[in-house]
Amino acid sequence: MKALRLTAWGEAPASVEIERPVPHGAEVLVRVEAAGLCRSDLHVIDAPPGALPYRLPFTLGHEIAGQVTALGPDADGVAAGDRVVVYGPWGCGSCARCAAGSGNYCDRRDTLAWHGAGLGRDGGMAEYLLVPSARQLVPIGDLPADQAAPLSDAGLTSYHAVSGLRPALGEGTTAVVIGVGGLGHLAVQILRATTESRVLAVDVREDALALADRSGAHFSTLMRPDTARALRARSGDVGADAVLDFVGTAQTLELAVGVLRPGGELAVVGSGGGSLTVAKPGVLPAGFRLSLPFWGTRHELAGVVTLARSGALRVETECLPLSAAPEAIDRLRRGAARGRTVLVPN
Ligand code: FEH
Ligand code: ZN
Ligand code: ZN
């Protein structure tokens, strides 16, 4: 089968022919219908030797949807023909967090040579994917694969970030989304579907603001010197109850702190390299709460799929054949990707 594999650190991934895997024990074989491309894939591809604990070679792709085609003798809970999305954060599989379906916060994460499918273990930028067990699969019914695959990472990460803030987002509150790309546009939709907050969006691109508006934002604005003032004016002049920063640069963190209400909450999802100084006395608002949410839980993935199947979520996608992966990676790197890029095995 064809697979896009990382074969040497710091080199571009290569399309190679490898054996189609055979499921053993509780393993399940999935025929891949779609695999999303994530900015974290760029971080993996660009990693210098020793930066990541992963063993080469492995197949990329940690945002996958497809159809069950074969089961190991001990596999249960799924049947051949089931269409599924793959829960990607494969931890150790046996600690308390993994047993509870929170592989994203595996207690043994720092001891593992992988972080999940396509992250040190063979992933879904291939014709077939071997999944450790049916626990990593969530049924998607007749959801189109290009809509389903992004739910497992972009959707799940956004849903997990919002879930941590939901208590602060009751009636009369304001949430600000900074960065309306593959994750941010889903966060806008999830906020509108699962909270009562007024949703304000910020980006540096006009087309991203249009995407924010289509996703249900009550207000969207470009990043400018007076953006904090404009956002505070639309949050009853008291400031935002929560900010979700999907960029995570020094500039966006500064904006986030500048618009937060006393007692407000900041979730930093983007890995833009920015930093905050936490000091008392200091410039952070009284009662400031910070979270660094990572990916999400298997239970939350089922929740995202339920939202999508109810019609409450629509993923802006750009579908390309798997063979066009080099072009797709370059477009993502140049900031030219629109919405979430989804690769389809061809
Ligand atoms: C995966 C692995 C490591 C860092 C970040 C990620 C995210 O893309 C998962 O959503
Ligand atoms: Zn990702
Ligand atoms: Zn674990």
Side-chain angles (χ1 to χ4, degrees):
M1 70 171 191
K2 284 194 182 58
L4 187 73
R5 283 164 76 78
L6 202 58
T7 56
W9 292 115
E11 291 186 14
S15 176
V16 297
E17 270 298 321
I18 56 173
E19 283 293 305
R20 182 190 308 181
V22 176
H24 298 94
E27 294 175 334
V28 179
L29 186 66
V30 174
R31 182 175 56 76
V32 176
E33 294 179 1
L37 178 63
C38 174
R39 196 159 289 282
S40 302
D41 292 312
L42 303 186
H43 297 157
V44 173
I45 291 166
D46 297 343
L52 294 171
Y54 308 159
R55 297 189 192 100
L56 297 177
F58 62 89
T59 302
L60 292 168
H62 59 272
E63 186 174 78
I64 309 135
Q67 186 174 50
V68 173
T69 57
L71 298 94
D74 306 325
D76 62 7
V78 287
D82 288 354
R83 296 187 64 249
V84 292
V85 69
V86 178
Y87 179 64
W90 302 347
C92 70
S94 56
C95 73
R97 289 284 172 76
C98 288
S102 301
N104 56 319
Y105 297 136
C106 170
D107 288 316
R108 299 193 181 103
R109 175 187 167 85
D110 294 341
T111 66
L112 302 176
W114 70 86
H115 292 137
L119 300 160
R121 300 276 290 272
D122 282 344
M125 290 183 186
E127 293 175 79
Y128 290 88
L129 167 75
L130 199 59
V131 176
S133 87
R135 286 191 309 171
Q136 270 83 22
L137 301 176
V138 173
I140 57 174
D142 58 0
L143 207 55
D146 78 302
Q147 287 292 307
L151 300 180
S152 66
D153 182 11
L156 177 55
T157 300
S158 302
Y159 189 92
H160 181 60
V162 171
S163 297
L165 302 172
R166 195 164 289 123
L169 296 176
E171 190 176 351
T173 60
T174 302
V176 172
V177 172
I178 302 177
V180 189
L183 279 75
H185 83 286
L186 292 174
V188 171
Q189 294 178 54
I190 293 165
L191 283 163
R192 290 304 316 276
T194 66
T195 77
E196 298 171 82
S197 61
R198 179 188 308 108
V199 180
L200 315 180
V202 186
D203 202 287
V204 293
R205 301 183 315 190
E206 287 288 357
D207 62 335
L209 300 191
L211 177 55
D213 297 343
R214 291 200 300 276
S215 298
H218 293 96
F219 170 75
S220 62
T221 180
L222 286 175
M223 186 91 163
R224 293 194 184 97
D226 69 340
T227 297
R229 188 194 56 71
L231 294 173
R232 295 184 74 88
R234 281 168 182 76
S235 56
D237 277 330
V238 296
D241 300 84
V243 177
L244 297 98
D245 183 350
F246 288 96
V247 183
T249 59
Q251 295 76 13
T252 57
L253 290 174
E254 183 184 356
L255 171 63
V257 171
V259 299
L260 267 179
R261 185 178 184 182
E265 307 212 22
L266 169 60
V268 180
V269 183
S271 305
S275 60
L276 271 180
T277 301
V278 179
K280 287 186 82 167
V283 297
L284 297 176
F288 173 81
R289 290 158 67 102
L290 172 69
S291 61
L292 301 173
F294 174 70
W295 220 330
T297 69
R298 191 213 173 280
H299 178 70
E300 290 170 332
L301 179 55
V304 182
V305 170
T306 299
L307 268 185
R309 295 182 71 179
S310 77
L313 285 190
R314 192 198 166 288
V315 187
E316 191 90 357
T317 61
E318 196 168 35
C319 290
L320 291 168
L322 180 56
S323 57
E327 174 200 339
I329 289 167
D330 180 57
R331 283 161 59 82
L332 181 61
R333 205 185 285 284
R334 286 187 286 110
R338 291 293 169 265
R340 198 68 166 177
T341 303
V342 177
L343 300 173
V344 179
N346 52 328

